[in-house]
Amino acid sequence: TKQEPRGTGTTTYGITLARSQPLPEEVTVDEIEAFAKVRLHPRAPNAIRLNRVPEIRIKRFLKRVVGEPYEFKDWGGEKNDLYTNKFLFRGSRRTAAFAIKGRATSGPLTPKKMGKNGDQIGRLLSSEAQLFFVVYHSKVDQAIHEQLRAYALGRALGGNRVFYGVIDGSDLARLIHAYASEFRAAARG
């Protein structure tokens, strides 16, 4: 009828939208060429007491493993503890930024312990880098992973390809075991 038309068939329309923004991706130490030797050590050794290792030694150690020759001085409002463009990842050199929490921090790492105002992850991800890592000598709370992802999503909205990860105590111990000579050298400066 003119008042209430009834169709005899159905029509389906499909709409496909291209993803305009790449999603951030969480990575582990096992996926990173710069840390390739860690794959030979699937478990963390028990003998390493990382809660006694100074933050500066962890920073020197990571610099040696990555091949970064320059010094980075710590100061209160820094964006990151280590920044390098010598980081090997997926076949290329990339820029990476690290937030390192040392022995002055104890217990599981939570966002509250990330900077005086709990804003260290936000500052870390404001660095001009593609890879972002939080490094800690013990357990890292799930909230750190979630906060990293949230800030990484914000960076990805700008069209940036973003990778992030956490190097907790067990992965840090594996790295130290895999790169023992670099860790010993980091104690000397």
Side-chain angles (χ1 to χ4, degrees):
T1 66
K2 288 183 180 181
Q3 302 299 335
E4 197 175 326
R6 292 194 174 103
T8 58
T10 60
T11 304
T12 305
Y13 294 97
I15 300 173
T16 305
L17 299 174
R19 181 179 298 270
S20 60
Q21 305 299 330
L23 289 175
E25 185 178 336
E26 185 169 12
V27 295
T28 67
V29 293
D30 300 279
E31 300 174 67
I32 299 166
E33 284 105 317
F35 301 145
K37 288 183 186 177
V38 81
R39 294 179 197 133
L40 301 173
H41 305 276
R43 286 201 195 114
N46 293 331
I48 300 175
R49 304 273 308 178
L50 294 175
N51 61 338
R52 296 182 182 166
V53 179
E55 181 179 317
I56 188 68
R57 185 172 179 192
I58 299 298
K59 183 192 293 189
R60 285 188 204 131
F61 166 68
L62 290 171
K63 281 178 43 184
R64 286 183 172 278
V65 172
V66 171
E68 178 58 61
Y70 299 111
E71 288 297 318
F72 297 87
K73 301 289 183 199
D74 284 340
W75 60 280
E78 65 197 6
K79 288 185 176 185
N80 50 65
D81 293 303
L82 175 59
Y83 183 82
T84 181
N85 70 348
K86 293 166 181 56
F87 200 76
L88 293 177
F89 179 67
R90 294 190 178 167
S92 321
R93 271 177 55 169
R94 311 277 179 121
T95 304
F98 294 79
I100 304 167
K101 300 307 289 183
R103 66 181 178 189
T105 307
S106 62
L109 185 63
T110 61
K112 181 180 177 180
K113 297 176 183 176
M114 295 291 295
K116 183 177 178 181
N117 300 313
D119 63 350
Q120 193 172 7
I121 291 176
R123 284 186 282 125
L124 175 69
L125 272 94
S126 71
S127 302
E128 278 302 314
Q130 295 170 309
L131 290 112
F132 303 90
F133 293 95
V134 170
V135 182
Y136 186 56
H137 59 75
S138 189
K139 180 182 179 184
V140 176
D141 191 78
Q142 178 180 338
I144 295 288
H145 292 264
E146 292 166 353
Q147 196 173 40
L148 276 167
R149 179 155 180 82
Y151 277 100
L153 277 167
R155 277 195 65 82
L157 289 175
N160 302 305
R161 189 75 175 115
V162 181
F163 302 92
Y164 65 96
V166 168
I167 301 174
D168 64 9
S170 64
D171 280 340
L172 185 56
R174 289 175 59 213
L175 279 169
I176 289 169
H177 191 64
Y179 296 92
S181 62
E182 288 85 349
F183 187 67
R184 283 190 301 276
R188 296 186 294 272

